[in-house]
């Protein structure tokens, strides 16, 4: 199947928002999604963006029954490791179910890797849920390592009232 | 008493930051993994589009009066597609003889303040599961262990695997 991978632009935010919700449903956390199309426009496409996006698009003849041609995306941002320096973090990777198994997920991830290397990054980091076996297998097949399993890295978060309290001097 | 202040790092601090990074890596038992140089820090933290930001805990001895840098935190802005803007704390470290005085909390508090000022709803970071004193400290601050609670694993691709992945 023909598809293209390209940088996201501000007009893609409606589709990115739709696909974020689809990914959240797949990961069983859709009630936690507070972000809107407007947030994405402001946060991804103004002067100092918090993230960057890439889109996988199919030609008109392969559009979904709802008329969508934008059928996958990845969101990433630059991060830093004090061990090895510049890194790229892939926050989301998603392909709509009927377009899976065609190499589109790998093509999106590959593009993030290319963009990272072009920016001088040595690492591509991301997260995966431990019950998501098909994703884990895919990532292992790409030579990714599980830093949580190997080194005991736990992801920690502070938010809401705890974050407000922590911010008090 | 030792007075200290928390301030934004400047490019002149990179020599000390590199030293403190080395000490933290020793503590985390990963000193062999550190390939970063002072030059990398200068370029990556203090040019037009920095990859990270840094704050320093600086002490002033009463006599002779000179500043010494005894702790640091690094952070950068990132994004969570559930709730938007987030701040990520990369490193948090206080030299061993200065622990137990609230300096770690003061550094982390500053990162939280900076994050909130930038509209961030989350402060994210990682901790090694064997580092019980650090975990306990973070849990006391009201942090939650996302890996323990949701099964989220931190994954990495680097070296040859990363180059291979980048092939179209």
């Amino acid at each position: 199947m023909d598809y293209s991978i390209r940088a996201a632009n501000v007009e893609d935010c409606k589709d990115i928002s739709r696909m974020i919700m689809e990914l959240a449903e797949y990961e069983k956390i859709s009630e936690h999604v507070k972000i809107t199309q407007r947030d994405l426009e402001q946060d991804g496409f103004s002067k100092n963006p918090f993230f960057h996006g890439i889109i996988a698009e199919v030609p008109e003849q392969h559009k979904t029954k709802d008329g969508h041609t934008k059928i996958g995306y990845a969101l990433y941002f630059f991060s830093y490791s004090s061990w090895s320096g510049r890194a790229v973090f892939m926050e989301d990777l998603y392909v709509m179910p009927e377009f899976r198994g065609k190499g589109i997920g790998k093509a999106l991830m590959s593009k993030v890797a290319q963009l990272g290397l072009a920016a001088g990054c040595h690492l591509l980091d991301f997260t995966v849920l431990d019950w998501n076996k098909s994703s884990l297998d895919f990532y292992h097949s790409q030579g990714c390592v599980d830093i949580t399993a190997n080194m005991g890295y736990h992801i920690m978060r502070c938010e809401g009232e705890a974050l407000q309290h922590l911010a008090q001097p | 008493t030792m007075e200290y202040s928390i301030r934004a790092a400047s490019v002149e601090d990179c020599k000390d930051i590199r030293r403190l990074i080395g000490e933290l890596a020793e503590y985390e038992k990963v000193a062999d993994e550190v390939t970063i140089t002072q030059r990398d820090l200068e370029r990556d933290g203090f040019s037009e589009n920095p990859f990270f930001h840094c704050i320093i805990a600086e002490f002033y001895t009463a006599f002779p009066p000179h500043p010494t840098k005894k702790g640091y935190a690094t952070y950068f802005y990132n994004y969570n597609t559930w709730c938007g803007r987030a701040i990520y704390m990369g490193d948090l470290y206080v030299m061993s003889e200065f622990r137990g005085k609230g300096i770690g909390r003061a550094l982390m508090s500053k990162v939280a303040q900076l994050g909130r000022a930038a509209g961030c709803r989350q402060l994210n970071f990682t901790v090694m599961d064997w580092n019980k004193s650090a975990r306990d400290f973070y849990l006391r601050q009201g942090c939650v262990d996302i890996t323990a609670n949701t099964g989220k694993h931190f994954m990495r691709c680097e070296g040859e695997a990363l180059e291979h992945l980048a092939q179209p």
Side-chain angles (χ1 to χ4, degrees), chain A residues 34 43 80 82-83 86 92 110 124-128 130 145-148 152 154-158 166, chain B residues 35-36 44 79 81-82 85 91 109 123-127 129 144-147 151 153-157 165:
Chain A
K34 297 174 174 52
D43 296 338
Y80 209 70
S82 59
W83 306 351
R86 300 181 183 188
D92 280 359
S110 177
L124 190 167
D125 291 339
F126 55 102
T127 62
V128 68
D130 63 358
V145 293
D146 185 334
I147 302 286
T148 294
H154 277 225
I155 297 160
M156 305 287 288
R157 174 165 298 158
C158 188
L166 177 61
Chain B
T35 54
I36 209 173
D44 297 337
Y79 211 70
T81 45
W82 308 352
R85 299 179 185 189
D91 284 357
S109 178
L123 189 167
N124 297 307
F125 56 101
T126 60
V127 69
D129 62 359
V144 293
D145 185 332
I146 298 290
T147 295
H153 278 223
F154 193 98
M155 306 287 286
R156 174 162 288 165
C157 188
L165 177 62

Side-chain angles (χ1 to χ4, degrees), chain B residues 9-15 17 38 41-43 46:
Chain B
S10 61
V11 68
E12 291 80 29
D13 292 315
C14 287
K15 185 174 182 189
I17 298 170
Q38 178 183 328
L41 295 170
E42 288 166 358
R43 183 198 57 203
F46 300 92

Side-chain angles (χ1 to χ4, degrees), chain B residues 60-116:
Chain B
Y60 290 82
T61 56
F63 187 81
H66 64 271
T68 54
K69 297 154 213 181
K70 303 294 190 188
Y72 79 106
T74 59
Y75 63 94
F76 45 85
Y77 295 98
N78 64 7
Y79 211 70
N80 176 295
T81 45
W82 308 352
C83 65
R85 299 179 185 189
I87 190 164
Y88 189 95
M89 184 171 70
D91 284 357
L92 176 66
Y93 175 74
V94 177
M95 289 176 72
S96 57
E97 61 263 42
F98 296 90
R99 290 180 202 151
K101 303 176 196 302
I103 296 159
R105 191 193 180 279
L107 284 162
M108 194 174 180
S109 178
K110 187 71 186 173
V111 175
Q113 284 170 44
L114 292 163
R116 292 191 76 231

Side-chain angles (χ1 to χ4, degrees), chain B residues 15-26:
Chain B
K15 185 174 182 189
D16 282 277
I17 298 170
R18 178 60 185 88
R19 167 183 61 84
L20 292 165
I21 285 173
E23 291 179 20
L24 174 56
E26 290 261 358

Side-chain angles (χ1 to χ4, degrees), chain A residues 23-41:
Chain A
L23 176 56
E25 286 186 25
Y26 175 78
E27 290 191 336
K28 308 174 189 178
I29 43 90
S30 54
E31 71 272 16
H32 292 140
V33 179
K34 297 174 174 52
I35 212 173
T36 64
Q37 178 182 327
R38 184 99 192 78
D39 293 324
L40 294 171
E41 289 165 359

